[in-house]
Amino acid sequence: MDRFIYKNGAVLPLGDGSICLKQIKSRDGKHIRVYRKQTKNGESQLCMVSGITGSQEAYRMAAVGWLREYARAALSEKVRYYGGIMQVSVNRIAIREQKTRWGSCSSKGNLNLNWKLVLMPHRIQDYVVVHELAHRKQMNHSVFFWKEVEAVLPDFRERKQWLREHEGEYMRY
């Protein structure tokens, strides 16, 4: 995969859809302003407005910054929704960039979720969130833990398998 995946015209997965990166030239050679817009044909674009040239890393950081904030809102909403269904609470939600994990849950109720989850289909995001929330009841992967997951997502095995088969495609971002 191209090291600079966040270049002009790149299309990234985003939930059940995609988003196209668009670099827009401006006079500001120090900052990158990032915003999302819908085109007339309904496509989603992540616009990055700047006069910075020769620094693909700056554009990567700007795009990832926006995606992390998007992940914070979207995944926090999923935690609230499924936490209500499962009757569990969390102390804190942190959005991180983990190299080998999609999520974790501490005994204090702190959830760590990988921002790259928002790139995956919603059903997989839901699986990871439910998996981590199930640790609020069972801090292990026992039969009882999996019953907690299955009570909310009866098809969790298929989702878990999908994640195993496709996670490498998403970790590259």
Side-chain angles (χ1 to χ4, degrees), residues 136-167:
R136 295 296 292 132
K137 293 185 174 185
Q138 299 287 331
M139 284 300 292
N140 54 50
H141 288 114
S142 67
V143 171
F144 301 109
F145 168 84
W146 291 111
K147 288 198 179 301
E148 294 289 345
V149 175
E150 188 173 34
V152 180
L153 301 174
D155 67 340
F156 82 90
R157 288 175 188 83
E158 291 83 17
R159 297 176 195 224
K160 181 179 174 184
Q161 183 63 34
W162 188 98
L163 183 58
R164 273 197 201 118
E165 291 172 2
H166 297 277
E167 65 185 343

PDB file of all heavy atoms in Angstrom, residues 136-167:
ATOM      1  N   ARG A 136     -17.320  -5.353  30.889  1.00  0.00           N
ATOM      2  CA  ARG A 136     -17.798  -4.684  32.107  1.00  0.00           C
ATOM      3  C   ARG A 136     -18.521  -5.685  33.005  1.00  0.00           C
ATOM      4  O   ARG A 136     -18.669  -5.448  34.196  1.00  0.00           O
ATOM      5  CB  ARG A 136     -18.731  -3.514  31.748  1.00  0.00           C
ATOM      6  CG  ARG A 136     -18.063  -2.385  31.003  1.00  0.00           C
ATOM      7  CD  ARG A 136     -16.983  -1.679  31.817  1.00  0.00           C
ATOM      8  NE  ARG A 136     -17.602  -0.956  32.912  1.00  0.00           N
ATOM      9  CZ  ARG A 136     -17.182  -1.012  34.176  1.00  0.00           C
ATOM     10  NH1 ARG A 136     -16.158  -1.735  34.526  1.00  0.00           N
ATOM     11  NH2 ARG A 136     -17.806  -0.319  35.097  1.00  0.00           N
ATOM     12  N   LYS A 137     -18.968  -6.797  32.431  1.00  0.00           N
ATOM     13  CA  LYS A 137     -19.631  -7.848  33.214  1.00  0.00           C
ATOM     14  C   LYS A 137     -18.715  -9.039  33.436  1.00  0.00           C
ATOM     15  O   LYS A 137     -18.812  -9.704  34.472  1.00  0.00           O
ATOM     16  CB  LYS A 137     -20.907  -8.303  32.500  1.00  0.00           C
ATOM     17  CG  LYS A 137     -21.983  -7.233  32.459  1.00  0.00           C
ATOM     18  CD  LYS A 137     -23.258  -7.760  31.846  1.00  0.00           C
ATOM     19  CE  LYS A 137     -24.367  -6.735  31.954  1.00  0.00           C
ATOM     20  NZ  LYS A 137     -25.648  -7.252  31.474  1.00  0.00           N
ATOM     21  N   GLN A 138     -17.871  -9.336  32.469  1.00  0.00           N
ATOM     22  CA  GLN A 138     -16.945 -10.463  32.545  1.00  0.00           C
ATOM     23  C   GLN A 138     -15.578  -9.994  32.039  1.00  0.00           C
ATOM     24  O   GLN A 138     -15.412  -9.750  30.862  1.00  0.00           O
ATOM     25  CB  GLN A 138     -17.430 -11.631  31.659  1.00  0.00           C
ATOM     26  CG  GLN A 138     -18.768 -12.201  32.027  1.00  0.00           C
ATOM     27  CD  GLN A 138     -18.697 -13.033  33.304  1.00  0.00           C
ATOM     28  OE1 GLN A 138     -17.668 -13.622  33.630  1.00  0.00           O
ATOM     29  NE2 GLN A 138     -19.793 -13.069  34.034  1.00  0.00           N
ATOM     30  N   MET A 139     -14.611  -9.898  32.944  1.00  0.00           N
ATOM     31  CA  MET A 139     -13.275  -9.421  32.554  1.00  0.00           C
ATOM     32  C   MET A 139     -12.401 -10.566  32.037  1.00  0.00           C
ATOM     33  O   MET A 139     -11.253 -10.736  32.446  1.00  0.00           O
ATOM     34  CB  MET A 139     -12.594  -8.719  33.736  1.00  0.00           C
ATOM     35  CG  MET A 139     -13.114  -7.340  34.030  1.00  0.00           C
ATOM     36  SD  MET A 139     -12.950  -6.172  32.668  1.00  0.00           S
ATOM     37  CE  MET A 139     -11.189  -5.982  32.573  1.00  0.00           C
ATOM     38  N   ASN A 140     -12.967 -11.351  31.152  1.00  0.00           N
ATOM     39  CA  ASN A 140     -12.265 -12.506  30.592  1.00  0.00           C
ATOM     40  C   ASN A 140     -12.951 -12.871  29.286  1.00  0.00           C
ATOM     41  O   ASN A 140     -13.821 -12.143  28.823  1.00  0.00           O
ATOM     42  CB  ASN A 140     -12.315 -13.676  31.589  1.00  0.00           C
ATOM     43  CG  ASN A 140     -13.747 -13.987  32.009  1.00  0.00           C
ATOM     44  OD1 ASN A 140     -14.640 -14.135  31.183  1.00  0.00           O
ATOM     45  ND2 ASN A 140     -13.974 -14.067  33.316  1.00  0.00           N
ATOM     46  N   HIS A 141     -12.560 -13.983  28.705  1.00  0.00           N
ATOM     47  CA  HIS A 141     -13.218 -14.477  27.490  1.00  0.00           C
ATOM     48  C   HIS A 141     -13.824 -15.851  27.758  1.00  0.00           C
ATOM     49  O   HIS A 141     -13.713 -16.763  26.936  1.00  0.00           O
ATOM     50  CB  HIS A 141     -12.236 -14.516  26.311  1.00  0.00           C
ATOM     51  CG  HIS A 141     -11.881 -13.169  25.800  1.00  0.00           C
ATOM     52  ND1 HIS A 141     -10.626 -12.635  25.898  1.00  0.00           N
ATOM     53  CD2 HIS A 141     -12.636 -12.214  25.194  1.00  0.00           C
ATOM     54  CE1 HIS A 141     -10.608 -11.422  25.377  1.00  0.00           C
ATOM     55  NE2 HIS A 141     -11.824 -11.134  24.941  1.00  0.00           N
ATOM     56  N   SER A 142     -14.469 -15.980  28.880  1.00  0.00           N
ATOM     57  CA  SER A 142     -15.096 -17.246  29.277  1.00  0.00           C
ATOM     58  C   SER A 142     -16.387 -17.479  28.485  1.00  0.00           C
ATOM     59  O   SER A 142     -16.844 -16.614  27.734  1.00  0.00           O
ATOM     60  CB  SER A 142     -15.430 -17.216  30.768  1.00  0.00           C
ATOM     61  OG  SER A 142     -16.449 -16.249  31.012  1.00  0.00           O
ATOM     62  N   VAL A 143     -16.983 -18.628  28.695  1.00  0.00           N
ATOM     63  CA  VAL A 143     -18.283 -18.948  28.103  1.00  0.00           C
ATOM     64  C   VAL A 143     -19.306 -17.881  28.507  1.00  0.00           C
ATOM     65  O   VAL A 143     -20.136 -17.464  27.690  1.00  0.00           O
ATOM     66  CB  VAL A 143     -18.738 -20.354  28.545  1.00  0.00           C
ATOM     67  CG1 VAL A 143     -20.163 -20.619  28.131  1.00  0.00           C
ATOM     68  CG2 VAL A 143     -17.802 -21.402  27.985  1.00  0.00           C
ATOM     69  N   PHE A 144     -19.236 -17.429  29.749  1.00  0.00           N
ATOM     70  CA  PHE A 144     -20.181 -16.421  30.239  1.00  0.00           C
ATOM     71  C   PHE A 144     -19.993 -15.091  29.504  1.00  0.00           C
ATOM     72  O   PHE A 144     -20.961 -14.396  29.204  1.00  0.00           O
ATOM     73  CB  PHE A 144     -20.040 -16.226  31.738  1.00  0.00           C
ATOM     74  CG  PHE A 144     -20.267 -17.494  32.507  1.00  0.00           C
ATOM     75  CD1 PHE A 144     -19.202 -18.129  33.132  1.00  0.00           C
ATOM     76  CD2 PHE A 144     -21.526 -18.067  32.589  1.00  0.00           C
ATOM     77  CE1 PHE A 144     -19.401 -19.313  33.827  1.00  0.00           C
ATOM     78  CE2 PHE A 144     -21.740 -19.246  33.279  1.00  0.00           C
ATOM     79  CZ  PHE A 144     -20.669 -19.872  33.894  1.00  0.00           C
ATOM     80  N   PHE A 145     -18.754 -14.740  29.218  1.00  0.00           N
ATOM     81  CA  PHE A 145     -18.462 -13.527  28.456  1.00  0.00           C
ATOM     82  C   PHE A 145     -19.137 -13.596  27.079  1.00  0.00           C
ATOM     83  O   PHE A 145     -19.834 -12.675  26.671  1.00  0.00           O
ATOM     84  CB  PHE A 145     -16.948 -13.345  28.284  1.00  0.00           C
ATOM     85  CG  PHE A 145     -16.586 -12.294  27.275  1.00  0.00           C
ATOM     86  CD1 PHE A 145     -16.540 -10.955  27.636  1.00  0.00           C
ATOM     87  CD2 PHE A 145     -16.310 -12.634  25.954  1.00  0.00           C
ATOM     88  CE1 PHE A 145     -16.224  -9.979  26.699  1.00  0.00           C
ATOM     89  CE2 PHE A 145     -15.991 -11.660  25.011  1.00  0.00           C
ATOM     90  CZ  PHE A 145     -15.945 -10.334  25.395  1.00  0.00           C
ATOM     91  N   TRP A 146     -18.921 -14.704  26.367  1.00  0.00           N
ATOM     92  CA  TRP A 146     -19.465 -14.835  25.015  1.00  0.00           C
ATOM     93  C   TRP A 146     -20.991 -14.882  25.024  1.00  0.00           C
ATOM     94  O   TRP A 146     -21.634 -14.440  24.071  1.00  0.00           O
ATOM     95  CB  TRP A 146     -18.854 -16.029  24.291  1.00  0.00           C
ATOM     96  CG  TRP A 146     -17.400 -15.768  23.993  1.00  0.00           C
ATOM     97  CD1 TRP A 146     -16.314 -16.383  24.562  1.00  0.00           C
ATOM     98  CD2 TRP A 146     -16.874 -14.788  23.098  1.00  0.00           C
ATOM     99  NE1 TRP A 146     -15.149 -15.838  24.064  1.00  0.00           N
ATOM    100  CE2 TRP A 146     -15.460 -14.871  23.168  1.00  0.00           C
ATOM    101  CE3 TRP A 146     -17.450 -13.850  22.238  1.00  0.00           C
ATOM    102  CZ2 TRP A 146     -14.630 -14.043  22.402  1.00  0.00           C
ATOM    103  CZ3 TRP A 146     -16.619 -13.025  21.483  1.00  0.00           C
ATOM    104  CH2 TRP A 146     -15.234 -13.122  21.564  1.00  0.00           C
ATOM    105  N   LYS A 147     -21.573 -15.351  26.109  1.00  0.00           N
ATOM    106  CA  LYS A 147     -23.038 -15.325  26.222  1.00  0.00           C
ATOM    107  C   LYS A 147     -23.537 -13.888  26.337  1.00  0.00           C
ATOM    108  O   LYS A 147     -24.605 -13.560  25.823  1.00  0.00           O
ATOM    109  CB  LYS A 147     -23.504 -16.181  27.401  1.00  0.00           C
ATOM    110  CG  LYS A 147     -23.354 -17.674  27.141  1.00  0.00           C
ATOM    111  CD  LYS A 147     -24.186 -18.478  28.087  1.00  0.00           C
ATOM    112  CE  LYS A 147     -24.060 -19.957  27.836  1.00  0.00           C
ATOM    113  NZ  LYS A 147     -24.453 -20.393  26.499  1.00  0.00           N
ATOM    114  N   GLU A 148     -22.771 -13.038  27.010  1.00  0.00           N
ATOM    115  CA  GLU A 148     -23.125 -11.613  27.099  1.00  0.00           C
ATOM    116  C   GLU A 148     -23.108 -10.971  25.707  1.00  0.00           C
ATOM    117  O   GLU A 148     -24.004 -10.205  25.351  1.00  0.00           O
ATOM    118  CB  GLU A 148     -22.140 -10.859  28.013  1.00  0.00           C
ATOM    119  CG  GLU A 148     -22.183 -11.250  29.464  1.00  0.00           C
ATOM    120  CD  GLU A 148     -23.446 -10.798  30.186  1.00  0.00           C
ATOM    121  OE1 GLU A 148     -24.185  -9.931  29.662  1.00  0.00           O
ATOM    122  OE2 GLU A 148     -23.694 -11.312  31.286  1.00  0.00           O
ATOM    123  N   VAL A 149     -22.085 -11.294  24.929  1.00  0.00           N
ATOM    124  CA  VAL A 149     -21.982 -10.755  23.572  1.00  0.00           C
ATOM    125  C   VAL A 149     -23.131 -11.284  22.712  1.00  0.00           C
ATOM    126  O   VAL A 149     -23.807 -10.526  22.014  1.00  0.00           O
ATOM    127  CB  VAL A 149     -20.615 -11.106  22.937  1.00  0.00           C
ATOM    128  CG1 VAL A 149     -20.563 -10.655  21.474  1.00  0.00           C
ATOM    129  CG2 VAL A 149     -19.462 -10.482  23.731  1.00  0.00           C
ATOM    130  N   GLU A 150     -23.372 -12.585  22.796  1.00  0.00           N
ATOM    131  CA  GLU A 150     -24.409 -13.221  21.975  1.00  0.00           C
ATOM    132  C   GLU A 150     -25.807 -12.716  22.307  1.00  0.00           C
ATOM    133  O   GLU A 150     -26.663 -12.637  21.424  1.00  0.00           O
ATOM    134  CB  GLU A 150     -24.343 -14.741  22.154  1.00  0.00           C
ATOM    135  CG  GLU A 150     -25.244 -15.496  21.204  1.00  0.00           C
ATOM    136  CD  GLU A 150     -25.030 -16.996  21.292  1.00  0.00           C
ATOM    137  OE1 GLU A 150     -24.736 -17.504  22.393  1.00  0.00           O
ATOM    138  OE2 GLU A 150     -25.185 -17.648  20.239  1.00  0.00           O
ATOM    139  N   ALA A 151     -26.031 -12.323  23.549  1.00  0.00           N
ATOM    140  CA  ALA A 151     -27.346 -11.807  23.945  1.00  0.00           C
ATOM    141  C   ALA A 151     -27.687 -10.534  23.174  1.00  0.00           C
ATOM    142  O   ALA A 151     -28.860 -10.256  22.910  1.00  0.00           O
ATOM    143  CB  ALA A 151     -27.382 -11.546  25.452  1.00  0.00           C
ATOM    144  N   VAL A 152     -26.684  -9.771  22.794  1.00  0.00           N
ATOM    145  CA  VAL A 152     -26.895  -8.521  22.065  1.00  0.00           C
ATOM    146  C   VAL A 152     -26.727  -8.717  20.553  1.00  0.00           C
ATOM    147  O   VAL A 152     -27.466  -8.142  19.764  1.00  0.00           O
ATOM    148  CB  VAL A 152     -25.925  -7.424  22.571  1.00  0.00           C
ATOM    149  CG1 VAL A 152     -26.129  -6.119  21.824  1.00  0.00           C
ATOM    150  CG2 VAL A 152     -26.080  -7.216  24.065  1.00  0.00           C
ATOM    151  N   LEU A 153     -25.753  -9.526  20.191  1.00  0.00           N
ATOM    152  CA  LEU A 153     -25.451  -9.765  18.772  1.00  0.00           C
ATOM    153  C   LEU A 153     -25.430 -11.272  18.506  1.00  0.00           C
ATOM    154  O   LEU A 153     -24.373 -11.901  18.557  1.00  0.00           O
ATOM    155  CB  LEU A 153     -24.086  -9.164  18.400  1.00  0.00           C
ATOM    156  CG  LEU A 153     -23.909  -7.668  18.601  1.00  0.00           C
ATOM    157  CD1 LEU A 153     -22.462  -7.257  18.336  1.00  0.00           C
ATOM    158  CD2 LEU A 153     -24.858  -6.879  17.714  1.00  0.00           C
ATOM    159  N   PRO A 154     -26.582 -11.850  18.222  1.00  0.00           N
ATOM    160  CA  PRO A 154     -26.635 -13.303  17.994  1.00  0.00           C
ATOM    161  C   PRO A 154     -25.708 -13.786  16.879  1.00  0.00           C
ATOM    162  O   PRO A 154     -25.269 -14.926  16.903  1.00  0.00           O
ATOM    163  CB  PRO A 154     -28.104 -13.560  17.630  1.00  0.00           C
ATOM    164  CG  PRO A 154     -28.848 -12.397  18.202  1.00  0.00           C
ATOM    165  CD  PRO A 154     -27.907 -11.228  18.140  1.00  0.00           C
ATOM    166  N   ASP A 155     -25.379 -12.914  15.937  1.00  0.00           N
ATOM    167  CA  ASP A 155     -24.487 -13.301  14.838  1.00  0.00           C
ATOM    168  C   ASP A 155     -23.042 -12.857  15.071  1.00  0.00           C
ATOM    169  O   ASP A 155     -22.274 -12.686  14.132  1.00  0.00           O
ATOM    170  CB  ASP A 155     -24.994 -12.724  13.518  1.00  0.00           C
ATOM    171  CG  ASP A 155     -24.898 -11.209  13.471  1.00  0.00           C
ATOM    172  OD1 ASP A 155     -24.803 -10.561  14.537  1.00  0.00           O
ATOM    173  OD2 ASP A 155     -24.916 -10.655  12.352  1.00  0.00           O
ATOM    174  N   PHE A 156     -22.631 -12.709  16.342  1.00  0.00           N
ATOM    175  CA  PHE A 156     -21.308 -12.199  16.652  1.00  0.00           C
ATOM    176  C   PHE A 156     -20.189 -13.043  16.039  1.00  0.00           C
ATOM    177  O   PHE A 156     -19.134 -12.525  15.698  1.00  0.00           O
ATOM    178  CB  PHE A 156     -21.104 -12.053  18.170  1.00  0.00           C
ATOM    179  CG  PHE A 156     -20.722 -13.320  18.868  1.00  0.00           C
ATOM    180  CD1 PHE A 156     -19.389 -13.675  19.021  1.00  0.00           C
ATOM    181  CD2 PHE A 156     -21.699 -14.168  19.380  1.00  0.00           C
ATOM    182  CE1 PHE A 156     -19.037 -14.852  19.660  1.00  0.00           C
ATOM    183  CE2 PHE A 156     -21.349 -15.338  20.025  1.00  0.00           C
ATOM    184  CZ  PHE A 156     -20.013 -15.685  20.156  1.00  0.00           C
ATOM    185  N   ARG A 157     -20.405 -14.341  15.885  1.00  0.00           N
ATOM    186  CA  ARG A 157     -19.352 -15.204  15.338  1.00  0.00           C
ATOM    187  C   ARG A 157     -18.990 -14.798  13.906  1.00  0.00           C
ATOM    188  O   ARG A 157     -17.811 -14.776  13.546  1.00  0.00           O
ATOM    189  CB  ARG A 157     -19.780 -16.669  15.388  1.00  0.00           C
ATOM    190  CG  ARG A 157     -19.794 -17.246  16.782  1.00  0.00           C
ATOM    191  CD  ARG A 157     -20.335 -18.683  16.813  1.00  0.00           C
ATOM    192  NE  ARG A 157     -20.510 -19.153  18.174  1.00  0.00           N
ATOM    193  CZ  ARG A 157     -21.578 -18.901  18.925  1.00  0.00           C
ATOM    194  NH1 ARG A 157     -22.589 -18.195  18.456  1.00  0.00           N
ATOM    195  NH2 ARG A 157     -21.647 -19.365  20.163  1.00  0.00           N
ATOM    196  N   GLU A 158     -20.005 -14.478  13.115  1.00  0.00           N
ATOM    197  CA  GLU A 158     -19.752 -14.034  11.740  1.00  0.00           C
ATOM    198  C   GLU A 158     -19.018 -12.690  11.734  1.00  0.00           C
ATOM    199  O   GLU A 158     -18.112 -12.469  10.937  1.00  0.00           O
ATOM    200  CB  GLU A 158     -21.059 -13.914  10.946  1.00  0.00           C
ATOM    201  CG  GLU A 158     -21.720 -15.238  10.648  1.00  0.00           C
ATOM    202  CD  GLU A 158     -22.570 -15.780  11.798  1.00  0.00           C
ATOM    203  OE1 GLU A 158     -22.919 -15.001  12.725  1.00  0.00           O
ATOM    204  OE2 GLU A 158     -22.866 -16.986  11.775  1.00  0.00           O
ATOM    205  N   ARG A 159     -19.397 -11.803  12.633  1.00  0.00           N
ATOM    206  CA  ARG A 159     -18.739 -10.497  12.717  1.00  0.00           C
ATOM    207  C   ARG A 159     -17.282 -10.660  13.173  1.00  0.00           C
ATOM    208  O   ARG A 159     -16.377 -10.008  12.643  1.00  0.00           O
ATOM    209  CB  ARG A 159     -19.495  -9.576  13.683  1.00  0.00           C
ATOM    210  CG  ARG A 159     -20.913  -9.271  13.231  1.00  0.00           C
ATOM    211  CD  ARG A 159     -21.636  -8.444  14.269  1.00  0.00           C
ATOM    212  NE  ARG A 159     -23.062  -8.417  14.067  1.00  0.00           N
ATOM    213  CZ  ARG A 159     -23.807  -7.331  14.154  1.00  0.00           C
ATOM    214  NH1 ARG A 159     -23.273  -6.165  14.432  1.00  0.00           N
ATOM    215  NH2 ARG A 159     -25.106  -7.402  13.976  1.00  0.00           N
ATOM    216  N   LYS A 160     -17.083 -11.509  14.132  1.00  0.00           N
ATOM    217  CA  LYS A 160     -15.741 -11.781  14.644  1.00  0.00           C
ATOM    218  C   LYS A 160     -14.865 -12.364  13.529  1.00  0.00           C
ATOM    219  O   LYS A 160     -13.705 -11.964  13.367  1.00  0.00           O
ATOM    220  CB  LYS A 160     -15.844 -12.757  15.825  1.00  0.00           C
ATOM    221  CG  LYS A 160     -14.537 -13.103  16.476  1.00  0.00           C
ATOM    222  CD  LYS A 160     -14.803 -14.068  17.639  1.00  0.00           C
ATOM    223  CE  LYS A 160     -13.517 -14.550  18.236  1.00  0.00           C
ATOM    224  NZ  LYS A 160     -13.744 -15.551  19.292  1.00  0.00           N
ATOM    225  N   GLN A 161     -15.407 -13.273  12.756  1.00  0.00           N
ATOM    226  CA  GLN A 161     -14.672 -13.877  11.646  1.00  0.00           C
ATOM    227  C   GLN A 161     -14.345 -12.840  10.579  1.00  0.00           C
ATOM    228  O   GLN A 161     -13.239 -12.811  10.051  1.00  0.00           O
ATOM    229  CB  GLN A 161     -15.475 -15.039  11.035  1.00  0.00           C
ATOM    230  CG  GLN A 161     -14.746 -15.767   9.924  1.00  0.00           C
ATOM    231  CD  GLN A 161     -13.474 -16.443  10.403  1.00  0.00           C
ATOM    232  OE1 GLN A 161     -13.389 -16.928  11.525  1.00  0.00           O
ATOM    233  NE2 GLN A 161     -12.461 -16.467   9.551  1.00  0.00           N
ATOM    234  N   TRP A 162     -15.304 -11.975  10.265  1.00  0.00           N
ATOM    235  CA  TRP A 162     -15.064 -10.916   9.288  1.00  0.00           C
ATOM    236  C   TRP A 162     -13.899 -10.043   9.745  1.00  0.00           C
ATOM    237  O   TRP A 162     -13.019  -9.697   8.948  1.00  0.00           O
ATOM    238  CB  TRP A 162     -16.324 -10.069   9.097  1.00  0.00           C
ATOM    239  CG  TRP A 162     -16.202  -9.085   7.974  1.00  0.00           C
ATOM    240  CD1 TRP A 162     -16.664  -9.238   6.704  1.00  0.00           C
ATOM    241  CD2 TRP A 162     -15.571  -7.796   8.024  1.00  0.00           C
ATOM    242  NE1 TRP A 162     -16.357  -8.133   5.955  1.00  0.00           N
ATOM    243  CE2 TRP A 162     -15.687  -7.234   6.734  1.00  0.00           C
ATOM    244  CE3 TRP A 162     -14.921  -7.071   9.002  1.00  0.00           C
ATOM    245  CZ2 TRP A 162     -15.173  -5.982   6.415  1.00  0.00           C
ATOM    246  CZ3 TRP A 162     -14.401  -5.815   8.693  1.00  0.00           C
ATOM    247  CH2 TRP A 162     -14.536  -5.286   7.415  1.00  0.00           C
ATOM    248  N   LEU A 163     -13.889  -9.696  11.029  1.00  0.00           N
ATOM    249  CA  LEU A 163     -12.823  -8.854  11.569  1.00  0.00           C
ATOM    250  C   LEU A 163     -11.471  -9.552  11.414  1.00  0.00           C
ATOM    251  O   LEU A 163     -10.493  -8.929  10.983  1.00  0.00           O
ATOM    252  CB  LEU A 163     -13.109  -8.514  13.034  1.00  0.00           C
ATOM    253  CG  LEU A 163     -12.117  -7.583  13.722  1.00  0.00           C
ATOM    254  CD1 LEU A 163     -12.000  -6.260  12.989  1.00  0.00           C
ATOM    255  CD2 LEU A 163     -12.536  -7.361  15.167  1.00  0.00           C
ATOM    256  N   ARG A 164     -11.407 -10.822  11.734  1.00  0.00           N
ATOM    257  CA  ARG A 164     -10.153 -11.575  11.572  1.00  0.00           C
ATOM    258  C   ARG A 164      -9.668 -11.552  10.126  1.00  0.00           C
ATOM    259  O   ARG A 164      -8.479 -11.413   9.860  1.00  0.00           O
ATOM    260  CB  ARG A 164     -10.360 -13.032  11.986  1.00  0.00           C
ATOM    261  CG  ARG A 164     -10.150 -13.282  13.436  1.00  0.00           C
ATOM    262  CD  ARG A 164      -9.952 -14.770  13.679  1.00  0.00           C
ATOM    263  NE  ARG A 164     -10.237 -15.044  15.062  1.00  0.00           N
ATOM    264  CZ  ARG A 164     -11.196 -15.839  15.495  1.00  0.00           C
ATOM    265  NH1 ARG A 164     -11.967 -16.484  14.639  1.00  0.00           N
ATOM    266  NH2 ARG A 164     -11.387 -16.027  16.769  1.00  0.00           N
ATOM    267  N   GLU A 165     -10.589 -11.732   9.205  1.00  0.00           N
ATOM    268  CA  GLU A 165     -10.228 -11.826   7.788  1.00  0.00           C
ATOM    269  C   GLU A 165      -9.846 -10.480   7.174  1.00  0.00           C
ATOM    270  O   GLU A 165      -9.078 -10.435   6.223  1.00  0.00           O
ATOM    271  CB  GLU A 165     -11.388 -12.433   6.990  1.00  0.00           C
ATOM    272  CG  GLU A 165     -11.618 -13.889   7.306  1.00  0.00           C
ATOM    273  CD  GLU A 165     -12.881 -14.448   6.659  1.00  0.00           C
ATOM    274  OE1 GLU A 165     -13.577 -13.698   5.918  1.00  0.00           O
ATOM    275  OE2 GLU A 165     -13.179 -15.624   6.915  1.00  0.00           O
ATOM    276  N   HIS A 166     -10.391  -9.378   7.690  1.00  0.00           N
ATOM    277  CA  HIS A 166     -10.213  -8.080   7.048  1.00  0.00           C
ATOM    278  C   HIS A 166      -9.416  -7.055   7.842  1.00  0.00           C
ATOM    279  O   HIS A 166      -9.154  -5.962   7.315  1.00  0.00           O
ATOM    280  CB  HIS A 166     -11.589  -7.486   6.706  1.00  0.00           C
ATOM    281  CG  HIS A 166     -12.351  -8.318   5.725  1.00  0.00           C
ATOM    282  ND1 HIS A 166     -12.150  -8.237   4.369  1.00  0.00           N
ATOM    283  CD2 HIS A 166     -13.301  -9.267   5.908  1.00  0.00           C
ATOM    284  CE1 HIS A 166     -12.952  -9.093   3.754  1.00  0.00           C
ATOM    285  NE2 HIS A 166     -13.659  -9.732   4.666  1.00  0.00           N
ATOM    286  N   GLU A 167      -9.029  -7.366   9.064  1.00  0.00           N
ATOM    287  CA  GLU A 167      -8.410  -6.328   9.891  1.00  0.00           C
ATOM    288  C   GLU A 167      -7.134  -5.746   9.283  1.00  0.00           C
ATOM    289  O   GLU A 167      -6.863  -4.560   9.419  1.00  0.00           O
ATOM    290  CB  GLU A 167      -8.171  -6.821  11.310  1.00  0.00           C
ATOM    291  CG  GLU A 167      -7.190  -7.949  11.461  1.00  0.00           C
ATOM    292  CD  GLU A 167      -7.124  -8.442  12.894  1.00  0.00           C
ATOM    293  OE1 GLU A 167      -7.570  -7.727  13.806  1.00  0.00           O
ATOM    294  OE2 GLU A 167      -6.623  -9.552  13.092  1.00  0.00           O
TER     295      GLU A 167
END
